[in-house]
């Protein structure tokens, strides 16, 4: 079972299992208890798709974050990444993946209708498309942009050189994006 | 001697040396000849600091690239990275490093006076500061911006999410840069 976790091969899984069995009292039992508890309480926020313990998550419930900004992300992991950066003070909408004809994932599977709903019913002044800069992410961003056009202001994260980035290690695409989006000092 | 090359540890150096000795005719002699030749001919362009075989490099000599754009980079490796991206059609100015009080590297050591010279004598309409997004690179960019202020239009590469970048793998600084520089779709 452990070997089925992402990022864990058969060998690391065996090591983890042995470690847990040796630390039965200190780690195995508490971890098992925690897992039972999470299995019983974790649920997706009915509004945005974030994971929490209540029907409406803490971010959606926070009145300070109702500032009209809505940040669309692919996954809860991306929401956490944005929260770690601690610069975004609005609310989120988690799609739960990207559009993919191959995997038969259409808008209905992705909480996109709910997004259109929210833009129409909540007072949203700007939707920030913070999808990954991958092909799937950008395809999905284009689809959403089509759906929301004329309903709200749409923006996307800037593309360019990452902080700490050295030109010599960057791919051609990033260099040309950074060059064409260059800014006056 | 081989072990002193950047990126080569003692073990890889021994392997490389053994490989060269075994392929004496095919690789060792041609490589040695090439090194002698490069040692005799390679020189820095007197104008921009690029490495070539003539006093003035091919890029500086190319009349098609005299379009008033000047791209300032730290190193020849960065110039090559820009050339690989094949989107910049102007000329370069290679600083040869970054300002560093600790290493006693001041503007005089960096071909910065020559840059100011060029901006004053050539017909430069825009200087693009393509320094690395590191602390040293940005310090140097600020210094140059101070020197060139009011003499020409100054721009810098855009900061943001690299092409193919996934939010979950990006540092906080890049996410906040990308968010604050977000663009309307």
């Amino acid at each position: 079972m452990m070997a089925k976790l992402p990022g864990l091969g058969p060998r690391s899984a065996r090591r983890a299992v042995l470690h847990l069995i040796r630390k039965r009292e200190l780690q195995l039992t508490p971890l098992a208890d925690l897992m039972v508890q999470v299995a019983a309480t974790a649920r997706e926020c009915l509004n945005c798709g974030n994971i929490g313990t209540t029907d409406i998550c803490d971010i959606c419930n926070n009145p300070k974050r109702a500032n009209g900004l809505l940040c669309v992300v692919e996954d809860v992991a991306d929401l956490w990444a944005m929260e770690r950066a601690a610069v975004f003070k609005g609310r989120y909408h988690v799609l739960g993946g990207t559009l993919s004809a191959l995997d038969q994932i259409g808008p209905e599977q992705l909480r996109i209708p709910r997004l259109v709903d929210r833009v129409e019913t909540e007072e949203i002044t700007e939707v920030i498309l913070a999808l990954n800069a991958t092909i799937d992410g950008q395809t999905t961003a284009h689809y959403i942009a089509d759906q929301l056009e004329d309903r709200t202001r749409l923006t996307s994260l800037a593309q360019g050189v990452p902080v700490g980035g050295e030109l010599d290690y960057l791919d051609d695409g990033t260099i040309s994006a950074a060059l064409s989006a260059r800014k006056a000092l």
Side-chain angles (χ1 to χ4, degrees), chain A:
Chain A
M1 276 297 281
M2 288 287 276
K4 286 184 181 163
L5 295 177
L8 228 59
R11 207 184 118 78
S12 343
R14 278 197 297 272
R15 281 179 59 191
V17 167
L18 270 178
H19 175 87
L20 285 172
I21 292 176
R22 283 198 196 112
K23 306 245 173 178
R24 200 175 302 224
E25 300 294 308
L26 267 168
Q27 299 206 344
L28 183 56
T29 321
L31 184 60
D33 290 347
L34 215 56
M35 280 177 168
V36 170
Q37 201 184 319
V38 167
T41 57
R43 66 190 76 185
E44 285 183 349
C45 171
L46 296 176
N47 198 33
C48 74
N50 185 15
I51 287 175
T53 55
T54 45
D55 279 344
I56 301 294
C57 75
D58 289 349
I59 294 176
C60 286
N61 264 331
N62 185 345
K64 284 192 187 144
R65 301 190 68 146
N67 56 4
L69 288 180
L70 198 60
C71 179
V72 178
V73 292
E74 284 176 27
D75 223 335
V76 176
D78 298 327
L79 186 157
W80 289 348
M82 293 288 298
E83 286 294 286
R84 277 199 302 277
V87 280
F88 180 66
K89 298 297 174 209
R91 288 172 175 177
Y92 294 95
H93 192 80
V94 182
L95 294 178
T98 47
L99 292 175
S100 165
L102 267 178
D103 300 329
Q104 298 196 303
I105 295 180
E108 305 294 324
Q109 278 79 45
L110 281 189
R111 225 176 268 123
I112 288 179
R114 177 86 194 97
L115 171 64
V116 179
D117 246 33
R118 288 186 72 184
V119 170
E120 283 183 341
T121 55
E122 300 178 25
E123 282 180 21
I124 305 294
T125 53
E126 177 179 349
V127 170
I128 302 167
L129 297 176
L131 303 181
N132 292 333
T134 53
I135 293 176
D136 281 350
Q138 294 310 301
T139 311
T140 311
H142 277 293
Y143 177 83
I144 295 176
D146 275 351
Q147 299 296 305
L148 296 182
E149 221 180 5
D150 307 327
R151 298 189 188 188
T152 183
R153 191 172 124 79
L154 280 166
T155 56
S156 70
L157 293 186
Q159 286 205 303
V161 180
V163 170
E166 304 190 23
L167 287 188
D168 196 16
Y169 294 92
L170 288 175
D171 61 295
D172 302 354
T174 300
I175 291 184
S176 37
L179 186 69
S180 65
R182 64 182 184 271
K183 289 184 303 187
L185 282 179

